[in-house]
Amino acid sequence: MKKKDAAKAVSAVIWIGMLALAGYIVIKGLSLDKEVVEKIMYNIQQQAVETYLPAVTRSDRKNDSFAFWLLEKTKDQLPGLDTDEQDVQAKEDVTTSARIVEENQEFLKQRLTEENQEAGPDEEGLEITGGDTQKDQNKETEEEQEEIPETGEEESKSAAVARERVPVTDISMEQLQDFNFVLSNFYTVDSTTSITSDQLNAPELLQMDLRMKTGNDQPQILIYHTHSQEEFIDSVPGDASTTIVGVGDYLTKILKENYGYNVLHVTDTFDIVDGKLDRNQAYNYAQERISQVLEENPSIEVIIDLHRDGVADNQRLVTEVDGKQTAKVMFFNGLSRTKQNGEISYLPNPYIQDNLAFSLQMMLACEKYYPDFARTIYLRGYRYNLHLRPKTLLVECGAQTNTVEEEMNAMEPLADVLNKVLTGT
């Protein structure tokens, strides 16, 4: 056969093959059996090739599909046709990855929706702290979970852990309706006072709405220390940052930076008189100063008087939270009532029930998310300036035997629990 005739034969075979391939695709689109069609086409084309081009017939092809073989043979003549398997696979991988990301996002949104429903619906029109509303802040938090920041900057560990934390324990409403169960598991009653089931009705206290209603464009939370000179086992003499005031500074920072609250921290001294430690009138001095601050900042809803306890030198109030040694906290309530004299008329507190609700909701949130972090709530007979606002807490964090680091570590779960109560989540 002459070269010219051979070239014509090759060209004819190629065109026949391409037409056959086109026919194959059309037939496939009509949903005929793929294996039957491929076998017919392969036999026809194989006979043509063996007849006219026996030299290019190969028995070592890895893929016996005629379409694959023909495309391989014509790739050089038709450079616009890209049949590279790695490129095709890469495109499929991109498509698959995009689908996985989309499905994961849908799953995450659904899970967040379920969690929000479990937490209970927000009341319409209720303005809460955090940007325009706390609801907006939570929405931004959820979006941060869904997207990986491109800047590479990571948020603080405490905020991330708090956001991802799941409930550890759950106390049923049936148990909380049992006054003896509540009293024995969550309270210590000082010998100076007493409390009844009418005064300590847990279900009613838990129903009280303690959510923050003030926006963070004005002061919301006030932190102070009636006993500002309280120190710890490794406090540095003369260094306020290693005292309870320094611990208050850290709590203020967390509430501001991690949760978006507007916080005032009063660091005035109330327990130094004439240069000496004297706590006899500390609560009176503190009341005068804090009342002035509240008058200047009527938007403040929450007051926290942060202390540390005093225990025997061989006792340490410490637990472990997220792998860190952490001082335990105790919420303290004054009932303005003693066993001996009954109601103390000169120490009125119209907010006793509100105070009890606040400490109980804080206590149960601790139990739910940080078991063993909170000691039992302490009830005593006097007032302790808890009458200044309905949402007032007296918090004892650790004791003189704790380290400064243990005290600082306690502020992270304390801030998280406070945020959960103030947002109703």
Side-chain angles (χ1 to χ4, degrees):
M1 183 180 292
K2 296 181 180 180
K3 292 183 179 180
K4 187 174 182 180
D5 294 336
K8 287 182 179 181
V10 171
S11 178
V13 170
I14 291 174
W15 282 108
I16 290 172
M18 292 179 68
L19 290 172
L21 180 60
Y24 168 74
I25 294 172
V26 171
I27 294 173
K28 181 181 179 181
L30 294 175
S31 302
L32 294 178
D33 186 88
K34 179 179 177 180
E35 293 183 1
V36 174
V37 174
E38 185 171 346
K39 185 175 181 181
I40 293 172
M41 297 305 299
Y42 176 82
N43 289 337
I44 294 173
Q45 300 305 327
Q46 186 69 14
Q47 290 177 10
V49 172
E50 290 176 354
T51 301
Y52 295 100
L53 294 170
V56 297
T57 304
R58 295 175 54 184
S59 60
D60 59 343
R61 291 195 304 271
K62 294 181 180 179
N63 189 328
D64 285 338
S65 167
F66 176 79
F68 176 84
W69 174 83
L70 183 61
L71 289 174
E72 285 292 312
K73 293 302 179 183
T74 58
K75 184 167 64 172
D76 294 336
Q77 298 184 43
L78 300 173
L81 182 62
D82 183 5
T83 60
D84 188 278
E85 284 187 292
Q86 292 182 350
D87 290 345
V88 173
Q89 185 64 46
K91 292 177 182 177
E92 291 177 352
D93 287 345
V94 171
T95 302
T96 302
S97 298
R99 172 57 60 184
I100 291 172
V101 170
E102 182 179 346
E103 291 176 354
N104 284 345
Q105 288 178 341
E106 289 301 320
F107 172 79
L108 182 57
K109 289 178 182 177
Q110 179 65 26
R111 181 62 190 137
L112 289 169
T113 300
E114 292 172 358
E115 290 175 355
N116 289 337
Q117 289 174 344
E118 291 169 3
D122 292 333
E123 291 184 6
E124 293 296 329
L126 181 62
E127 184 179 9
I128 311 174
T129 184
D132 295 330
T133 65
Q134 190 66 36
K135 187 175 180 180
D136 291 338
Q137 180 182 343
N138 291 341
K139 182 179 179 181
E140 293 173 0
T141 296
E142 294 167 6
E143 290 172 353
E144 288 173 2
Q145 283 182 297
E146 295 175 30
E147 299 178 4
I148 300 175
E150 295 180 357
T151 60
E153 296 179 358
E154 295 183 358
E155 61 185 342
S156 69
K157 274 188 177 180
S158 61
V161 169
R163 205 176 351 261
E164 296 170 0
R165 187 168 299 278
V166 296
V168 178
T169 59
D170 188 23
I171 301 167
S172 69
M173 186 55 67
E174 182 179 359
Q175 290 174 302
L176 294 173
Q177 289 173 342
D178 184 340
F179 172 71
N180 292 325
F181 172 84
V182 172
L183 195 65
S184 61
N185 283 276
F186 304 121
Y187 288 91
T188 296
V189 183
D190 189 82
S191 59
T192 62
T193 193
S194 62
I195 195 164
T196 67
S197 58
D198 291 335
Q199 299 159 336
L200 184 61
N201 186 321
E204 287 186 4
L205 296 177
L206 295 177
Q207 288 298 316
M208 295 181 69
D209 185 1
L210 302 181
R211 290 179 293 179
M212 182 75 76
K213 297 175 176 62
T214 303
N216 65 358
D217 57 336
Q218 50 191 333
Q220 300 167 301
I221 300 174
L222 170 64
I223 299 173
Y224 75 102
H225 313 274
T226 299
H227 299 157
S228 63
Q229 303 305 300
E230 290 176 332
E231 297 180 332
F232 310 101
I233 193 169
D234 57 349
S235 293
V236 178
D239 184 357
S241 68
T242 64
T243 68
I244 194 65
V245 174
V247 177
D249 279 335
Y250 187 45
L251 177 60
T252 300
K253 179 180 179 181
I254 294 173
L255 290 172
K256 284 183 175 181
E257 296 182 1
N258 292 0
Y259 299 98
Y261 291 105
N262 191 326
V263 186
L264 295 182
H265 184 201
V266 174
T267 59
D268 295 32
T269 298
F270 307 115
D271 52 353
I272 294 290
V273 179
D274 297 329
K276 297 181 180 179
L277 182 66
D278 185 349
R279 290 176 176 157
N280 290 328
Q281 298 295 317
Y283 281 96
N284 291 335
Y285 296 145
Q287 178 183 341
E288 182 179 351
R289 174 69 178 118
I290 298 307
S291 295
Q292 178 186 354
V293 174
L294 293 175
E295 184 176 350
E296 296 169 354
N297 301 275
S299 61
I300 291 174
E301 289 189 35
V302 176
I303 301 175
I304 300 174
D305 185 7
L306 186 61
H307 293 249
R308 64 108 170 107
D309 207 349
V311 297
D313 289 340
N314 62 351
Q315 184 179 4
R316 292 186 67 239
L317 305 173
V318 65
T319 187
E320 186 174 293
V321 176
D322 298 328
K324 295 184 290 188
Q325 292 296 293
T326 303
K328 291 188 175 186
V329 299
M330 180 179 71
F331 305 115
F332 189 104
N333 283 97
L335 301 179
S336 294
R337 178 180 59 256
T338 64
K339 284 182 177 179
Q340 183 175 358
N341 300 315
E343 302 293 330
I344 304 176
S345 58
Y346 61 89
L347 294 176
N349 180 1
Y351 304 130
I352 289 178
Q353 288 297 300
D354 302 86
N355 298 161
L356 288 171
F358 199 11
S359 60
L360 181 58
Q361 290 189 26
M362 290 287 291
M363 178 72 195
L364 292 182
C366 288
E367 285 292 301
K368 186 175 183 178
Y369 293 97
Y370 301 93
D372 198 43
F373 172 56
R375 302 155 65 195
T376 53
I377 301 169
Y378 200 90
L379 301 180
R380 203 171 186 193
Y382 301 98
R383 187 173 63 176
Y384 305 98
N385 289 333
L386 297 175
H387 66 297
L388 297 176
R389 281 290 188 274
K391 293 194 283 270
T392 301
L393 283 177
L394 194 161
V395 184
E396 300 272 6
C397 183
Q400 83 282 3
T401 54
N402 286 98
T403 66
V404 175
E405 182 179 9
E406 291 166 350
E407 294 286 323
M408 297 296 185
N409 289 343
M411 295 303 99
E412 296 172 6
L414 179 62
D416 180 37
V417 168
L418 180 62
N419 179 64
K420 289 182 181 342
V421 172
L422 295 182
T423 58
T425 57

